[in-house]
Amino acid sequence: MSSFWSIWIIALTVISLVLITWLLFSNRKITGSKENQTTGHVYDGIEEYDNPLPSWWFKMFVVSIVFAVAYLIAFPGLGNFPGLLNWTSVGKWEKEVAEAEQATAELYKGFMATEVTNLASDRNAMRLGKRIFANNCAICHGINAEGSYGFPNLSDHDWLYGGDAEQIRASINQGRSGVMPAWKNMLDNNGLEAMTQYVKNLSSTGADSTTPAGKQFAMLCAACHGPDGGGNQMMGAPNLADNIWLYGGDAGQIKQSIANGRNGQMPAHHDKLSEEKIHLLTAYVYQLSRPSR
């Protein structure tokens, strides 16, 4: 927060407290008036008396003002002033996280000693893994890991970068960046239509690589997706021949992908999750597409 806004907030807060205090004490007693004198306001036969606040009510106001002043001295609330206790919500959260991690350290340590393939059949481990997934992965891949438009389904057998334990761990640790170039400047509209149909045929009736579209596919796409469209896990290039689509498999969506390209980004989690949690998460994702889950 800039110094200007800090001073502005401090001034507004202090002035408000002073005005409230003045208003409270200036109306504590009514001079020149008799007790139980009315204000002249009458509504539905009820008269409004011009009396000061009851003593107990007045004292409660005073206590609340004193509490407000004490709070603003002890805790942050006056612009950039941190408060004498130096308390912050972030510090409180970090302390609670540290306490929770300390309490579960031994449990995670025990799981860490077990191979991912064996850990995937441990019910207790998978319950923890599911919670880690829900907190860190479900926002993109869905609570059931079935993915959505542009986010891979982790519960099938189709893997962009490979589905063995080490490949999954690498994806979680390092993240992934998938980039497909746009081809609209290389293909005219007829070329785009022909290429769209060719790619669509790869996963249905089969495609003839000797056609002009097939030759263009070999020139523009085969380097990543392979000559038969089977994909390349080393590069994260999707398999175009299995009828599983990351951005949709109808003609319009395929054409959109070819014309404008695609950019996918999965963030790295090595700086967000501990090694033990990544180990558990790897095991959880590993077992998602296995028949035994």
Side-chain angles (χ1 to χ4, degrees):
M1 184 187 302
S2 67
S3 298
F4 170 79
W5 288 113
S6 177
I7 294 171
W8 178 263
I9 291 171
I10 293 172
L12 283 181
T13 304
V14 172
I15 291 171
S16 296
L17 282 172
V18 171
L19 288 175
I20 291 170
T21 304
W22 171 81
L23 184 63
L24 179 65
F25 280 88
S26 66
N27 289 278
R28 179 68 183 98
K29 293 183 179 181
I30 298 177
T31 59
S33 298
K34 296 180 180 180
E35 190 175 354
N36 294 331
Q37 181 176 335
T38 66
T39 62
H41 298 158
V42 180
Y43 182 80
D44 199 20
I46 301 173
E47 294 182 303
E48 181 181 355
Y49 286 99
D50 190 15
N51 291 332
L53 287 173
S55 176
W56 66 269
W57 202 341
F58 173 82
K59 291 175 182 177
M60 288 294 292
F61 269 119
V62 172
V63 169
S64 67
I65 292 172
V66 171
F67 175 81
V69 172
Y71 182 92
L72 291 172
I73 292 173
F75 295 95
L78 292 174
N80 290 330
F81 176 63
L84 297 181
L85 298 181
N86 288 316
W87 181 93
T88 64
S89 57
V90 173
K92 177 68 173 176
W93 174 77
E94 289 176 345
K95 181 181 178 182
E96 291 177 353
V97 169
E99 290 173 352
E101 289 182 348
Q102 184 177 1
T104 58
E106 288 302 317
L107 178 62
Y108 283 127
K109 186 177 180 181
F111 290 138
M112 193 68 184
T114 306
E115 291 292 332
V116 165
T117 52
N118 296 327
L119 200 61
S121 59
D122 186 319
R123 291 181 178 271
N124 291 329
M126 292 303 94
R127 277 197 291 266
L128 279 176
K130 186 175 183 178
R131 292 174 187 171
I132 298 171
F133 183 91
N135 289 334
N136 296 276
C137 315
I139 190 171
C140 293
H141 295 284
I143 193 66
N144 295 319
E146 294 178 351
S148 61
Y149 183 82
F151 299 103
N153 183 348
L154 304 179
S155 63
D156 59 15
H157 298 280
D158 189 71
W159 296 90
L160 288 176
Y161 294 92
D164 66 35
E166 289 310 309
Q167 290 168 319
I168 293 172
R169 189 194 306 273
S171 294
I172 297 170
N173 258 319
Q174 303 163 13
R176 299 293 187 181
S177 295
V179 179
M180 174 182 166
W183 296 111
K184 60 185 177 182
N185 294 328
M186 295 284 292
L187 300 169
D188 58 21
N189 190 59
N190 290 333
L192 282 172
E193 292 291 344
M195 183 69 77
T196 297
Q197 191 58 49
Y198 181 86
V199 171
K200 189 169 178 59
N201 288 343
L202 282 172
S203 61
S204 55
T205 60
D208 185 357
S209 60
T210 63
T211 63
K215 293 177 181 179
Q216 283 187 321
F217 182 90
M219 180 177 64
L220 301 176
C221 313
C224 295
H225 295 283
D228 59 352
N232 185 338
Q233 291 184 349
M234 292 291 292
M235 304 176 66
N239 183 349
L240 304 178
D242 60 2
N243 205 29
I244 296 175
W245 303 92
L246 188 58
Y247 294 96
D250 64 39
Q253 291 167 319
I254 294 173
K255 184 177 180 180
Q256 175 78 5
S257 296
I258 297 170
N260 299 309
R262 298 292 186 182
N263 288 278
Q265 179 72 43
M266 173 183 166
H269 285 77
H270 64 85
D271 58 344
K272 300 180 178 67
L273 299 174
S274 65
E275 185 179 358
E276 292 80 7
K277 288 184 178 180
I278 287 178
H279 187 69
L280 267 177
L281 186 56
T282 299
Y284 178 76
V285 174
Y286 175 82
Q287 60 83 39
L288 282 171
S289 62
R290 268 63 189 181
S292 60
R293 64 187 177 92

